[in-house]
Amino acid sequence: MKKHDEAVVAFRHALQALDDARMSLERKQKFEADIRVMLAVMDKGKQLNEAAMKNLSKIHNRQKPNVHSEDKFIPVKKRNPLYPACSKAVEIKDEGGDVGRHAVATREIAPGEIVIVERPHCKFLLAENRLTHCHLCFARIFVPIPAACHTCSCVAYCSRRCRDADAQVHSRECKLLPALWHSKTSITCFLALRAITRRPFEETMKLKERLRDFKSMPKISAENPYRGDDYSTTFYNLVTHEDKRLPEDIFHRAYMAAWLFRLLRIGEYLSENVKTIDSADSKLSDEELFIAGLLLHNLQLLQFNSHEISELIRPKGEKTLAKAKSMFIGGGVYPTVAMLNHSCNPGVIRYFIGTTMIVRAIRTIGAGEEISENYGPIFTTMPESERKRKLRVQYWFDCNCEACSGHWPLLDELDPTVLRFKCETGPSCGNVLLVRSDTNEFMIGCAKCGKSTNILKGLKILQDTDALFRTASTNLEQGQNEQALKAYLEILKLLDETLALPIKDYHVCQQGVRLCSLALGNVAYV
């Protein structure tokens, strides 16, 4: 019952009562020893809890941003007024066809620059993390006695503040979660349900009219920006590819939607006045059909638009990140980031502070160039044929990114003795000059435009980056991750000036940037 102070008083009264108790000396001594052990345990627990609560504010500041924390990464004045999760360096375009909506750089974006900071429209922890992480903010729970739901024992919270903030949403799911977790269903089902239960039934029903006149909704503007928490204009409008689905696929998702809807009927989400009699002959009410339809829609769009939420696991006592590993702790839907297309050589990486996603550039992105992320298969570790197969199965498209169209080899297969210089003519030529690392020639002719390029500057940059790379590696080994990150980013900026990808050293540095960036987000020492 967690009435610790009352328990301590009761134990002390019991200790005093032993003096007048009619029992043998041996039994008195045993009871006294047991009571003193319990008092010592409770006192120690109280000390640990108080110490943890003192540090809790630091943990919260690190693992979950406050209301205005986005300003820390992208100040209001530098945000895109149409898409507030983005900086002004990002523009969202819609060219239809296979490309669809996508992000484009409005100016040159440097490696390390943060371009998107977004909170999830909906999120959910993996079942195995439901008692080790906060059900609301996803912070790993450090306090000895976590806050819990007053009704169920299914979830835990890092603080009463989080529990109280989540009380209304959790009350709509409290009775449903045991069945969901027992079924071992995928995170997709949890997210499909959470997209509904995150708002009251009455509020969800107000969406009915808005979605009926969906095409007449106002376009994205400064007065009507793209807000990730808006279901009708953002979440609902994410791609579903319903027109491409086979009957078997629709049947499978309809079956799952029906099961999720039945859970909602059993729970307390639906108003009693809209529930129909639970029999084979009864027809669902219009309100019930609407909710069931939303669940089916959610299950379709989540296939293409959900993201894993991660945490970096670091062994206790390890100063370096050598044995650190990124772990999937939950899932979420980030409507702005969901519009970024895939590349096997992505322009950005992402990490998480709590459930807020931070997206930062991992290479120089030129003005007008598409800003792409990675959906999982990346050219450095996975062969082209396998990447394309996975993307086709999961996301239903044939990848034609520069790594695939250029048939780039794996990272380990890149030849370090061959240097790839950009033609000095610039983008109008776009040719790559292949030069042996032991060359004695410094003026290299371009077979495409006919002009010669002086590679001395590039060779000098390579010398400079060798020293920087040693510095970055040393910093990383000593646990100085932020200094290592700065050095890695400086290397990328320098190499981008004269060299063309793929370059082995460049992509090794990108891996260093990713690892150091993950260490800035959710971290757990185990």
PDB file of all heavy atoms in Angstrom, residues 408-429:
ATOM      1  N   TRP A 408      27.257   0.651 -55.188  1.00  0.00           N
ATOM      2  CA  TRP A 408      28.360   0.829 -54.245  1.00  0.00           C
ATOM      3  C   TRP A 408      28.655  -0.483 -53.521  1.00  0.00           C
ATOM      4  O   TRP A 408      27.730  -1.202 -53.113  1.00  0.00           O
ATOM      5  CB  TRP A 408      28.008   1.897 -53.215  1.00  0.00           C
ATOM      6  CG  TRP A 408      27.963   3.292 -53.762  1.00  0.00           C
ATOM      7  CD1 TRP A 408      28.097   3.670 -55.064  1.00  0.00           C
ATOM      8  CD2 TRP A 408      27.751   4.492 -53.019  1.00  0.00           C
ATOM      9  NE1 TRP A 408      27.988   5.033 -55.184  1.00  0.00           N
ATOM     10  CE2 TRP A 408      27.779   5.563 -53.941  1.00  0.00           C
ATOM     11  CE3 TRP A 408      27.547   4.771 -51.676  1.00  0.00           C
ATOM     12  CZ2 TRP A 408      27.608   6.886 -53.549  1.00  0.00           C
ATOM     13  CZ3 TRP A 408      27.372   6.088 -51.279  1.00  0.00           C
ATOM     14  CH2 TRP A 408      27.408   7.136 -52.215  1.00  0.00           C
ATOM     15  N   PRO A 409      29.931  -0.789 -53.305  1.00  0.00           N
ATOM     16  CA  PRO A 409      30.284  -2.004 -52.555  1.00  0.00           C
ATOM     17  C   PRO A 409      30.076  -1.805 -51.056  1.00  0.00           C
ATOM     18  O   PRO A 409      29.831  -0.687 -50.586  1.00  0.00           O
ATOM     19  CB  PRO A 409      31.768  -2.190 -52.879  1.00  0.00           C
ATOM     20  CG  PRO A 409      32.263  -0.808 -53.169  1.00  0.00           C
ATOM     21  CD  PRO A 409      31.116  -0.079 -53.819  1.00  0.00           C
ATOM     22  N   LEU A 410      30.170  -2.888 -50.308  1.00  0.00           N
ATOM     23  CA  LEU A 410      30.101  -2.806 -48.852  1.00  0.00           C
ATOM     24  C   LEU A 410      31.290  -2.013 -48.323  1.00  0.00           C
ATOM     25  O   LEU A 410      32.305  -1.853 -49.011  1.00  0.00           O
ATOM     26  CB  LEU A 410      30.109  -4.206 -48.235  1.00  0.00           C
ATOM     27  CG  LEU A 410      28.950  -5.136 -48.600  1.00  0.00           C
ATOM     28  CD1 LEU A 410      29.199  -6.524 -48.020  1.00  0.00           C
ATOM     29  CD2 LEU A 410      27.633  -4.582 -48.100  1.00  0.00           C
ATOM     30  N   LEU A 411      31.176  -1.537 -47.095  1.00  0.00           N
ATOM     31  CA  LEU A 411      32.245  -0.730 -46.503  1.00  0.00           C
ATOM     32  C   LEU A 411      33.576  -1.480 -46.516  1.00  0.00           C
ATOM     33  O   LEU A 411      34.609  -0.916 -46.886  1.00  0.00           O
ATOM     34  CB  LEU A 411      31.873  -0.344 -45.067  1.00  0.00           C
ATOM     35  CG  LEU A 411      32.899   0.498 -44.304  1.00  0.00           C
ATOM     36  CD1 LEU A 411      33.072   1.860 -44.961  1.00  0.00           C
ATOM     37  CD2 LEU A 411      32.480   0.669 -42.844  1.00  0.00           C
ATOM     38  N   ASP A 412      33.547  -2.741 -46.129  1.00  0.00           N
ATOM     39  CA  ASP A 412      34.787  -3.523 -46.064  1.00  0.00           C
ATOM     40  C   ASP A 412      35.385  -3.794 -47.442  1.00  0.00           C
ATOM     41  O   ASP A 412      36.559  -4.177 -47.542  1.00  0.00           O
ATOM     42  CB  ASP A 412      34.535  -4.855 -45.345  1.00  0.00           C
ATOM     43  CG  ASP A 412      34.236  -4.668 -43.866  1.00  0.00           C
ATOM     44  OD1 ASP A 412      34.610  -3.605 -43.328  1.00  0.00           O
ATOM     45  OD2 ASP A 412      33.626  -5.569 -43.260  1.00  0.00           O
ATOM     46  N   GLU A 413      34.581  -3.620 -48.477  1.00  0.00           N
ATOM     47  CA  GLU A 413      35.058  -3.895 -49.832  1.00  0.00           C
ATOM     48  C   GLU A 413      35.534  -2.641 -50.561  1.00  0.00           C
ATOM     49  O   GLU A 413      36.032  -2.731 -51.689  1.00  0.00           O
ATOM     50  CB  GLU A 413      33.944  -4.571 -50.640  1.00  0.00           C
ATOM     51  CG  GLU A 413      33.539  -5.935 -50.084  1.00  0.00           C
ATOM     52  CD  GLU A 413      32.321  -6.512 -50.784  1.00  0.00           C
ATOM     53  OE1 GLU A 413      31.780  -5.833 -51.688  1.00  0.00           O
ATOM     54  OE2 GLU A 413      31.894  -7.627 -50.424  1.00  0.00           O
ATOM     55  N   LEU A 414      35.370  -1.478 -49.934  1.00  0.00           N
ATOM     56  CA  LEU A 414      35.847  -0.240 -50.557  1.00  0.00           C
ATOM     57  C   LEU A 414      37.375  -0.232 -50.581  1.00  0.00           C
ATOM     58  O   LEU A 414      38.022  -0.531 -49.578  1.00  0.00           O
ATOM     59  CB  LEU A 414      35.332   0.978 -49.780  1.00  0.00           C
ATOM     60  CG  LEU A 414      33.848   1.318 -49.956  1.00  0.00           C
ATOM     61  CD1 LEU A 414      33.428   2.388 -48.959  1.00  0.00           C
ATOM     62  CD2 LEU A 414      33.567   1.790 -51.375  1.00  0.00           C
ATOM     63  N   ASP A 415      37.929   0.133 -51.713  1.00  0.00           N
ATOM     64  CA  ASP A 415      39.384   0.134 -51.888  1.00  0.00           C
ATOM     65  C   ASP A 415      39.972   1.429 -51.323  1.00  0.00           C
ATOM     66  O   ASP A 415      39.746   2.511 -51.883  1.00  0.00           O
ATOM     67  CB  ASP A 415      39.723   0.005 -53.374  1.00  0.00           C
ATOM     68  CG  ASP A 415      41.217  -0.189 -53.618  1.00  0.00           C
ATOM     69  OD1 ASP A 415      41.997  -0.040 -52.655  1.00  0.00           O
ATOM     70  OD2 ASP A 415      41.595  -0.483 -54.770  1.00  0.00           O
ATOM     71  N   PRO A 416      40.729   1.368 -50.222  1.00  0.00           N
ATOM     72  CA  PRO A 416      41.278   2.592 -49.623  1.00  0.00           C
ATOM     73  C   PRO A 416      42.404   3.210 -50.447  1.00  0.00           C
ATOM     74  O   PRO A 416      42.815   4.341 -50.186  1.00  0.00           O
ATOM     75  CB  PRO A 416      41.789   2.112 -48.258  1.00  0.00           C
ATOM     76  CG  PRO A 416      42.105   0.662 -48.461  1.00  0.00           C
ATOM     77  CD  PRO A 416      41.102   0.162 -49.455  1.00  0.00           C
ATOM     78  N   THR A 417      42.904   2.477 -51.442  1.00  0.00           N
ATOM     79  CA  THR A 417      44.013   3.012 -52.253  1.00  0.00           C
ATOM     80  C   THR A 417      43.514   3.842 -53.429  1.00  0.00           C
ATOM     81  O   THR A 417      44.320   4.433 -54.149  1.00  0.00           O
ATOM     82  CB  THR A 417      44.888   1.860 -52.784  1.00  0.00           C
ATOM     83  OG1 THR A 417      44.124   1.055 -53.702  1.00  0.00           O
ATOM     84  CG2 THR A 417      45.392   0.991 -51.640  1.00  0.00           C
ATOM     85  N   VAL A 418      42.193   3.877 -53.630  1.00  0.00           N
ATOM     86  CA  VAL A 418      41.620   4.668 -54.725  1.00  0.00           C
ATOM     87  C   VAL A 418      40.892   5.870 -54.138  1.00  0.00           C
ATOM     88  O   VAL A 418      39.981   5.721 -53.315  1.00  0.00           O
ATOM     89  CB  VAL A 418      40.651   3.826 -55.579  1.00  0.00           C
ATOM     90  CG1 VAL A 418      40.009   4.695 -56.656  1.00  0.00           C
ATOM     91  CG2 VAL A 418      41.380   2.650 -56.209  1.00  0.00           C
ATOM     92  N   LEU A 419      41.309   7.064 -54.551  1.00  0.00           N
ATOM     93  CA  LEU A 419      40.690   8.305 -54.081  1.00  0.00           C
ATOM     94  C   LEU A 419      39.696   8.798 -55.127  1.00  0.00           C
ATOM     95  O   LEU A 419      39.930   8.670 -56.327  1.00  0.00           O
ATOM     96  CB  LEU A 419      41.763   9.367 -53.828  1.00  0.00           C
ATOM     97  CG  LEU A 419      42.890   8.952 -52.870  1.00  0.00           C
ATOM     98  CD1 LEU A 419      43.926  10.067 -52.755  1.00  0.00           C
ATOM     99  CD2 LEU A 419      42.328   8.603 -51.501  1.00  0.00           C
ATOM    100  N   ARG A 420      38.603   9.382 -54.655  1.00  0.00           N
ATOM    101  CA  ARG A 420      37.534   9.844 -55.548  1.00  0.00           C
ATOM    102  C   ARG A 420      37.400  11.361 -55.405  1.00  0.00           C
ATOM    103  O   ARG A 420      36.789  11.849 -54.453  1.00  0.00           O
ATOM    104  CB  ARG A 420      36.220   9.144 -55.194  1.00  0.00           C
ATOM    105  CG  ARG A 420      36.255   7.632 -55.367  1.00  0.00           C
ATOM    106  CD  ARG A 420      35.042   6.959 -54.720  1.00  0.00           C
ATOM    107  NE  ARG A 420      33.790   7.504 -55.201  1.00  0.00           N
ATOM    108  CZ  ARG A 420      33.158   7.089 -56.295  1.00  0.00           C
ATOM    109  NH1 ARG A 420      33.670   6.111 -57.029  1.00  0.00           N
ATOM    110  NH2 ARG A 420      32.019   7.637 -56.663  1.00  0.00           N
ATOM    111  N   PHE A 421      37.963  12.091 -56.349  1.00  0.00           N
ATOM    112  CA  PHE A 421      37.930  13.554 -56.300  1.00  0.00           C
ATOM    113  C   PHE A 421      36.776  14.095 -57.144  1.00  0.00           C
ATOM    114  O   PHE A 421      36.456  13.549 -58.206  1.00  0.00           O
ATOM    115  CB  PHE A 421      39.251  14.141 -56.815  1.00  0.00           C
ATOM    116  CG  PHE A 421      40.401  13.945 -55.872  1.00  0.00           C
ATOM    117  CD1 PHE A 421      41.230  12.836 -55.989  1.00  0.00           C
ATOM    118  CD2 PHE A 421      40.644  14.858 -54.862  1.00  0.00           C
ATOM    119  CE1 PHE A 421      42.291  12.646 -55.115  1.00  0.00           C
ATOM    120  CE2 PHE A 421      41.699  14.674 -53.983  1.00  0.00           C
ATOM    121  CZ  PHE A 421      42.523  13.567 -54.107  1.00  0.00           C
ATOM    122  N   LYS A 422      36.174  15.178 -56.652  1.00  0.00           N
ATOM    123  CA  LYS A 422      35.137  15.859 -57.426  1.00  0.00           C
ATOM    124  C   LYS A 422      35.800  16.705 -58.510  1.00  0.00           C
ATOM    125  O   LYS A 422      36.842  17.326 -58.267  1.00  0.00           O
ATOM    126  CB  LYS A 422      34.308  16.780 -56.522  1.00  0.00           C
ATOM    127  CG  LYS A 422      33.533  16.065 -55.430  1.00  0.00           C
ATOM    128  CD  LYS A 422      32.827  17.076 -54.543  1.00  0.00           C
ATOM    129  CE  LYS A 422      32.084  16.393 -53.402  1.00  0.00           C
ATOM    130  NZ  LYS A 422      31.448  17.370 -52.483  1.00  0.00           N
ATOM    131  N   CYS A 423      35.198  16.736 -59.686  1.00  0.00           N
ATOM    132  CA  CYS A 423      35.686  17.622 -60.744  1.00  0.00           C
ATOM    133  C   CYS A 423      35.472  19.064 -60.303  1.00  0.00           C
ATOM    134  O   CYS A 423      34.402  19.420 -59.783  1.00  0.00           O
ATOM    135  CB  CYS A 423      34.944  17.345 -62.048  1.00  0.00           C
ATOM    136  SG  CYS A 423      35.385  18.478 -63.388  1.00  0.00           S
ATOM    137  N   GLU A 424      36.485  19.915 -60.492  1.00  0.00           N
ATOM    138  CA  GLU A 424      36.404  21.304 -60.037  1.00  0.00           C
ATOM    139  C   GLU A 424      35.347  22.112 -60.784  1.00  0.00           C
ATOM    140  O   GLU A 424      34.969  23.197 -60.350  1.00  0.00           O
ATOM    141  CB  GLU A 424      37.772  21.989 -60.183  1.00  0.00           C
ATOM    142  CG  GLU A 424      38.759  21.600 -59.086  1.00  0.00           C
ATOM    143  CD  GLU A 424      40.047  22.396 -59.162  1.00  0.00           C
ATOM    144  OE1 GLU A 424      40.254  23.085 -60.186  1.00  0.00           O
ATOM    145  OE2 GLU A 424      40.839  22.333 -58.205  1.00  0.00           O
ATOM    146  N   THR A 425      34.867  21.592 -61.901  1.00  0.00           N
ATOM    147  CA  THR A 425      33.823  22.304 -62.644  1.00  0.00           C
ATOM    148  C   THR A 425      32.562  22.442 -61.802  1.00  0.00           C
ATOM    149  O   THR A 425      31.786  23.379 -61.958  1.00  0.00           O
ATOM    150  CB  THR A 425      33.502  21.562 -63.959  1.00  0.00           C
ATOM    151  OG1 THR A 425      34.706  21.407 -64.702  1.00  0.00           O
ATOM    152  CG2 THR A 425      32.490  22.327 -64.787  1.00  0.00           C
ATOM    153  N   GLY A 426      32.359  21.489 -60.896  1.00  0.00           N
ATOM    154  CA  GLY A 426      31.218  21.574 -59.991  1.00  0.00           C
ATOM    155  C   GLY A 426      30.045  20.723 -60.427  1.00  0.00           C
ATOM    156  O   GLY A 426      30.170  19.842 -61.287  1.00  0.00           O
ATOM    157  N   PRO A 427      28.862  21.012 -59.869  1.00  0.00           N
ATOM    158  CA  PRO A 427      27.668  20.200 -60.145  1.00  0.00           C
ATOM    159  C   PRO A 427      27.294  20.135 -61.620  1.00  0.00           C
ATOM    160  O   PRO A 427      26.677  19.169 -62.061  1.00  0.00           O
ATOM    161  CB  PRO A 427      26.569  20.904 -59.332  1.00  0.00           C
ATOM    162  CG  PRO A 427      27.304  21.629 -58.252  1.00  0.00           C
ATOM    163  CD  PRO A 427      28.596  22.059 -58.871  1.00  0.00           C
ATOM    164  N   SER A 428      27.639  21.160 -62.385  1.00  0.00           N
ATOM    165  CA  SER A 428      27.290  21.148 -63.811  1.00  0.00           C
ATOM    166  C   SER A 428      27.972  20.000 -64.541  1.00  0.00           C
ATOM    167  O   SER A 428      27.480  19.513 -65.557  1.00  0.00           O
ATOM    168  CB  SER A 428      27.682  22.475 -64.465  1.00  0.00           C
ATOM    169  OG  SER A 428      29.078  22.700 -64.346  1.00  0.00           O
ATOM    170  N   CYS A 429      29.120  19.556 -64.015  1.00  0.00           N
ATOM    171  CA  CYS A 429      29.803  18.388 -64.579  1.00  0.00           C
ATOM    172  C   CYS A 429      29.440  17.152 -63.759  1.00  0.00           C
ATOM    173  O   CYS A 429      28.913  16.183 -64.281  1.00  0.00           O
ATOM    174  CB  CYS A 429      31.318  18.594 -64.586  1.00  0.00           C
ATOM    175  SG  CYS A 429      32.248  17.125 -65.111  1.00  0.00           S
TER     176      CYS A 429
END
